[in-house]
């Protein structure tokens, strides 16, 4: 690969980072929103007893981390629409660099931002007394976080290349992502209800939440072994990234 | 030497032919302009030449590189300033330039000096560290032109470079364009629907309408093609006068334009008395008559049968109270 391609990846990455750091509102909202979830749901359901859950906050924390990474990364993918609308995409597309580098740079940028947010929430959860498993568990958690970020960026790219405006994005968020999130065991276990358990098998987000939970925390039972979840998430990640970059490379301006 | 050469270039959007079999060439070092009204196909042509759109038919070469097969080489050789702004407004002017230079593989030291150079060219040195969202429209345009030049392109494409800017800023931008054409030897392909812009900047102009090139020539030749002088007149019986004047072979062309008649002639001031005499003999009353040097407006009218200005104001409604004054 030529030096200019690495520069292009770096530029795309750097741009995402600068925009993230400079956008105070995004910085605040992406951290405050999950924090509210953690605190409000955490204290609200603390007294409720779920089967196999000894400590509700430990149960909830992985769900919130997944949610934060998902939203942030999807936003990165979708923001291609912004660049299209504000014309900047043309500037990138006439440069003598491959579209592959553009995608890689953007995805790495989005994933880095999402990871920073995920880690911050993780630290907050630790501060609130969530007990985590050992070093290996933490490493596996990190792998899950990266995979979730990439998958969601890919999904965002798919939406961005199929949608003309942001209304479509709103629709997908409220009609698809939110229900999937509620049925993913992020906020409450799905094992008690057989219908929910069946639905979960077909819910991509379920494997992300279950896997992250299994690798991160102790005191909480999971449905699958984390490594089984990992396998599913890897496959989804490859499919989504593939579809996202294919559609992006086909798009004309 | 031809730096741009197109061969029956065509672009269709479904059943609309936006660019229709155009063939032309641009010489190295010249300022070439596409002059045409809204929807003529100017932007579509630029997007094909800059590899953003695939031609439906035909081909084109830039610096001998095919725009479809050697996309990367074409991209290295060109700079583009799009019709719509294409800056990242969340970054500073300097960052926009720096990121651009990196994508074109320019090394660290070169980047630094080149950023200074191009900012100097468009008088934006003191705005380097200001966020682009705080720039004025004219400053953004100048920054884009500077960015287009960062990587020493052989050809710079400018799509309506002064659209929506005030008279002063337009003048300034024209000067920058002339300067970079002269100092850096950049070939310039620009599109515009401003006559004065084409007149002032371009060595050669192509008039494009409905996706077709109607004529390509130097400004000088284009103006001569409508006659050395243009006589404009209005009279009581336009049709009658046209019929009579068609017999006179010293009139190079006659064009009717609503209530006006324009005639292309040699030595216009000497012909005015002749025309008045002729019309009196036909019992036709001349209401007004004037002579002037031809402008690009006349050229455009000649080749398209309408003026650009006419077309733009056609759908602007004039409030009743102004009508009498304007009529
Ligand atoms: N992506 C597209 N899909 C469908 N039609 C298009 C598309 N882009 C342009 N057109 C049509 O092609 C024609 C030429 O458009 P183009 O943008 O090239 O005109 P233009 O000469 O640049 O006009 P303007 O002066 O308004 O910028 C127009 O009729 C336009 O509606
Ligand atoms: Mg245009």
């Amino acid at each position: 690969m030529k030096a200019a391609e690495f520069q292009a990846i770096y530029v795309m990455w750097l741009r995402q980072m600068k925009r993230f750091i400079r956008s105070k509102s995004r910085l605040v909202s992406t951290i405050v929103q999950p924090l509210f979830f953690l605190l409000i749901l955490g204290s609200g359901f603390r007294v409720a007893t779920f089967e196999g859950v000894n400590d509700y906050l430990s149960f909830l924390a992985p769900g919130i981390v997944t949610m934060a990474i998902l939203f942030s990364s999807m936003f990165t993918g979708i923001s291609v629409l912004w660049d299209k609308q504000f014309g900047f995409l043309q500037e990138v597309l006439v440069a003598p660099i491959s579209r592959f580098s553009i995608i890689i740079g953007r995805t790495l940028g989005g994933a880095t931002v999402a990871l920073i947010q995920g880690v911050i929430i993780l630290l907050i959860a630790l501060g609130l007394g969530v007990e985590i498993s050992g070093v290996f568990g933490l490493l596996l958690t990190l792998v899950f976080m990266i995979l979730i970020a990439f998958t969601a960026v890919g999904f965002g790219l798919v939406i961005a290349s199929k949608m003309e405006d942001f209304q479509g994005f709103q629709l997908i968020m409220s009609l698809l992502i939110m229900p999937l999130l509620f049925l993913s065991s992020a906020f409450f276990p799905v094992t008690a209800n057989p219908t929910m358990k069946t639905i979960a098998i077909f819910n991509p987000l379920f494997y992300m939440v279950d896997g992250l939970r299994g690798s991160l925390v102790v005191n909480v039972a999971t449905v699958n072994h984390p490594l089984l979840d990992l396998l599913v998430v890897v496959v989804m990640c490859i499919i989504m990234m593939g579809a996202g970059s294919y559609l992006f490379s086909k798009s004309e301006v | 030497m031809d730096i741009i050469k197109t061969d029956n270039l065509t672009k269709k959007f479904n059943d609309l032919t936006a660019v229709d079999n155009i063939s032309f060439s641009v010489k190295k070092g010249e300022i070439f302009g596409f002059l045409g009204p809204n929807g003529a196909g100017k932007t579509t042509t630029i997007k094909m030449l800059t590899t953003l759109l695939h031609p439906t038919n035909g081909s084109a070469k830039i610096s001998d590189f095919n725009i479809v097969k050697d996309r990367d080489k074409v991209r290295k050789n060109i700079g583009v300033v799009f019709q719509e702004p294409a800056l990242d407004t969340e970054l500073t002017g300097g960052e926009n330039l720096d990121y651009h230079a990196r994508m074109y593989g320019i090394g660290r030291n070169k980047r630094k000096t080149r950023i200074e150079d191009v900012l100097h060219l468009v008088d934006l040195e003191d705005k380097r560290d200001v966020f682009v969202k705080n720039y004025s429209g004219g400053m953004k345009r100048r920054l884009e032109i500077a960015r287009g030049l960062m990587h020493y392109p052989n050809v710079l494409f400018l799509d309506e470079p002064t659209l929506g800017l005030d008279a002063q800023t337009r003048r300034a931008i024209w000067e920058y364009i002339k300067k970079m054409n002269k100092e850096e030897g950049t070939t310039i392909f620009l599109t515009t629907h401003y006559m004065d812009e084409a007149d002032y900047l371009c060595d050669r102009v192509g008039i494009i309408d409905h996706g077709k090139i109607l004529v390509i020539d130097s400004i000088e030749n284009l103006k001569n093609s409508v006659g050395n002088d243009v006589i404009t007149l209005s009279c009581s019986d336009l049709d009658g006068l046209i019929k009579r004047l068609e017999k006179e072979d010293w009139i190079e062309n006659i064009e009717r334009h609503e209530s006006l008649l324009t005639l292309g002639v040699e030595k216009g001031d000497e012909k005015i008395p002749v025309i008045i005499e002729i019309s009196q003999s036909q019992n036709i009353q001349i209401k007004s008559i004037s002579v002037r040097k031809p402008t690009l407006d006349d050229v455009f009218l000649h080749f398209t049968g309408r003026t650009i200005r006419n077309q733009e104001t056609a759908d602007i409604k004039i409030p009743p109270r102004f009508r009498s004054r304007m009529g």
Side-chain angles (χ1 to χ4, degrees):
Chain A
M1 208 149 65
K2 293 171 292 178
E5 299 288 345
F6 282 113
Q7 282 286 354
I9 294 173
Y10 174 68
V11 164
M12 290 294 120
W13 178 82
L14 191 61
R15 178 168 171 261
Q16 294 291 328
M17 298 306 288
K18 286 212 168 156
R19 286 175 74 103
F20 172 65
I21 289 163
R22 283 173 190 169
S23 165
K24 299 278 181 306
S25 59
R26 195 178 160 203
L27 203 65
V28 170
S29 76
T30 47
I31 290 171
V32 169
Q33 195 200 21
L35 191 60
F36 277 166
F37 268 86
L38 208 57
L39 292 177
I40 295 171
L41 285 180
S43 51
F45 283 117
R46 188 147 232 174
V47 287
T49 46
F50 296 112
E51 193 193 325
V53 179
N54 297 328
D55 174 24
Y56 180 68
L57 203 62
S58 299
F59 175 86
L60 182 65
I64 301 297
V65 170
T66 309
M67 181 185 82
I69 295 177
L70 268 179
F71 285 4
S72 169
S73 309
M74 270 180 64
F75 179 82
T76 303
I78 298 277
S79 63
V80 169
L81 264 184
W82 253 274
D83 284 351
K84 210 185 229 168
Q85 236 158 42
F86 290 107
F88 187 75
L89 194 60
Q90 300 191 2
E91 146 78 2
V92 177
L93 294 184
V94 288
I97 51 177
S98 72
R99 297 198 172 186
F100 186 68
S101 303
I102 299 172
I103 291 278
I104 295 286
R106 193 175 192 103
T107 307
L108 286 178
T112 312
V113 169
L115 275 185
I116 292 173
Q117 293 174 335
V119 167
I120 291 175
I121 294 159
L122 209 59
L123 291 177
I124 294 172
L126 284 182
L128 292 173
V130 171
E131 250 181 277
I132 59 165
S133 53
V135 176
F136 177 74
L138 262 184
L139 284 179
L140 196 57
T141 304
L142 213 60
V143 172
F144 266 108
M145 286 164 79
I146 294 170
L147 287 172
I148 294 170
F150 275 58
T151 312
V153 173
F155 181 64
L157 286 173
V158 172
I159 301 179
S161 55
K162 288 283 152 205
M163 300 263 161
E164 291 296 315
D165 52 32
F166 300 104
Q167 267 81 34
F169 173 50
Q170 294 292 346
L171 212 65
I172 287 192
M173 276 311 276
S174 51
L175 291 186
L176 185 67
I177 301 300
M178 287 316 285
L180 284 182
L181 196 62
F182 280 115
L183 293 171
S184 71
S185 82
F187 308 121
F188 50 83
V190 292
T191 37
N193 181 327
T195 326
M196 275 198 191
K197 203 175 169 188
T198 320
I199 294 174
I201 296 173
F202 301 101
N203 183 353
L205 304 197
F206 167 72
Y207 296 94
M208 299 175 177
V209 174
D210 196 60
L212 195 69
R213 182 173 289 138
S215 48
L216 181 65
V217 291
V218 290
N219 279 339
V220 178
T222 59
V223 178
N224 299 325
H225 191 275
L227 291 179
L228 175 64
D229 288 321
L230 185 69
L231 187 69
V232 178
V233 175
V234 167
V235 172
M236 284 191 304
C237 183
I238 292 170
I239 292 173
M240 273 302 161
M241 278 307 293
S245 24
Y246 174 78
L247 288 173
F248 177 80
S249 69
K250 284 279 154 202
S251 68
E252 286 189 330
V253 276
Chain B
M1 184 204 143
D2 290 338
I3 199 156
I4 304 178
K5 194 162 172 48
T6 78
D7 181 23
N8 287 313
L9 201 61
T10 302
K11 180 73 192 180
K12 291 194 176 120
F13 295 109
N14 302 322
D15 48 0
L16 176 95
T17 309
V19 173
D20 196 355
N21 272 293
I22 61 175
S23 301
F24 66 93
S25 52
V26 176
K27 294 190 202 75
K28 198 168 166 31
E30 79 174 333
I31 302 186
F32 180 88
F34 253 12
L35 180 64
N38 290 131
K42 306 183 294 292
T43 301
T44 308
T45 307
I46 285 201
K47 283 194 174 162
M48 284 192 284
L49 291 178
T50 55
T51 75
L52 285 182
L53 280 181
H54 263 291
T56 314
N57 250 317
S59 65
K61 280 183 172 181
I62 291 180
S63 294
D64 266 332
F65 297 121
N66 187 296
I67 56 163
V68 178
K69 289 182 202 123
D70 317 306
R71 283 213 224 176
D72 263 7
K73 283 178 184 141
V74 170
R75 289 175 182 169
K76 269 215 168 65
N77 273 286
I78 59 173
V80 193
V81 176
F82 297 100
Q83 183 169 347
E84 279 97 35
L87 295 161
D88 188 334
T89 53
E90 300 293 322
L91 301 177
T92 66
E95 283 170 343
N96 267 287
L97 296 179
D98 185 58
Y99 288 12
H100 179 91
R102 285 172 186 271
M103 290 194 285
Y104 285 79
I106 301 174
R108 179 191 298 267
N109 295 329
K110 192 81 165 282
R111 269 203 309 269
K112 249 184 155 170
T113 55
R114 185 62 178 163
I115 289 175
E116 308 267 305
D117 286 352
V118 293
L119 283 178
H120 178 71
L121 184 76
V122 297
D123 287 324
L124 282 176
E125 290 129 309
D126 51 336
K127 300 288 179 197
R128 197 186 68 189
D129 299 323
V130 175
F131 286 116
V132 173
K133 60 184 167 200
N134 298 329
Y135 277 33
S136 74
M139 282 158 60
K140 281 184 194 152
R141 211 60 184 151
R142 274 145 61 196
L143 182 66
E144 292 199 290
I145 290 176
R147 187 178 63 181
L149 281 176
M150 273 301 288
H151 56 284
Y152 305 90
N154 289 326
V155 189
L156 183 64
F157 290 89
L158 300 168
D159 199 356
E160 315 232 11
T162 65
L163 191 67
L165 301 180
D166 67 35
Q168 227 176 335
T169 314
R170 294 183 63 204
R171 279 248 151 233
I173 286 183
W174 290 354
E175 293 315 319
Y176 300 136
I177 294 174
K178 283 230 162 188
K179 202 155 90 180
M180 70 204 186
N181 174 247
K182 214 153 110 219
E183 288 178 6
E184 312 224 328
T186 315
T187 306
I188 291 171
F189 181 108
L190 64 86
T191 75
T192 183
H193 60 256
Y194 295 123
M195 299 289 173
D196 53 347
E197 187 159 282
D199 202 349
Y200 185 80
L201 283 177
C202 299
D203 300 314
R204 284 190 314 136
V205 169
I207 293 183
I208 178 169
D209 197 13
H210 299 305
K212 288 197 175 74
I213 295 184
L214 304 175
V215 61
I216 297 183
D217 215 328
S218 67
I219 303 266
E220 177 97 7
N221 288 346
L222 284 177
K223 285 181 179 171
N224 284 340
S225 69
V226 290
N228 256 338
D229 285 320
V230 176
I231 292 178
T232 311
L233 63 84
S234 63
C235 65
S236 55
D237 177 7
L238 223 47
D239 294 323
L241 191 63
I242 291 174
K243 228 175 183 168
R244 175 65 188 77
L245 289 179
E246 271 167 356
K247 290 179 195 145
E248 303 293 322
D249 57 3
W250 47 267
I251 301 180
E252 286 161 28
N253 69 69
I254 302 181
E255 240 148 85
R256 186 186 170 149
H257 175 51
E258 280 152 36
S259 60
L260 292 177
L261 199 60
T262 59
L263 311 172
V265 297
E266 301 275 332
K267 300 203 178 109
D269 25 3
E270 290 171 20
K271 299 301 188 312
I272 287 186
V274 182
I275 291 171
I276 293 180
E277 217 168 283
I278 291 175
S279 57
Q280 268 169 352
S281 72
Q282 303 283 307
N283 270 331
I284 295 170
Q285 198 191 346
I286 301 268
K287 288 183 193 154
S288 69
I289 186 161
S290 63
V291 60
R292 57 185 164 79
K293 287 278 160 208
T295 64
L296 266 185
D297 277 296
D298 298 306
V299 176
F300 193 83
L301 175 65
H302 177 67
F303 285 103
T304 65
R306 59 207 157 92
T307 62
I308 281 192
R309 223 180 303 125
N310 245 7
Q311 206 180 19
E312 281 185 346
T313 51
D315 40 28
I316 298 174
K317 293 215 171 58
I318 301 166
R321 65 176 185 281
F322 292 133
R323 264 186 209 149
S324 58
R325 242 186 285 168
M326 294 190 67

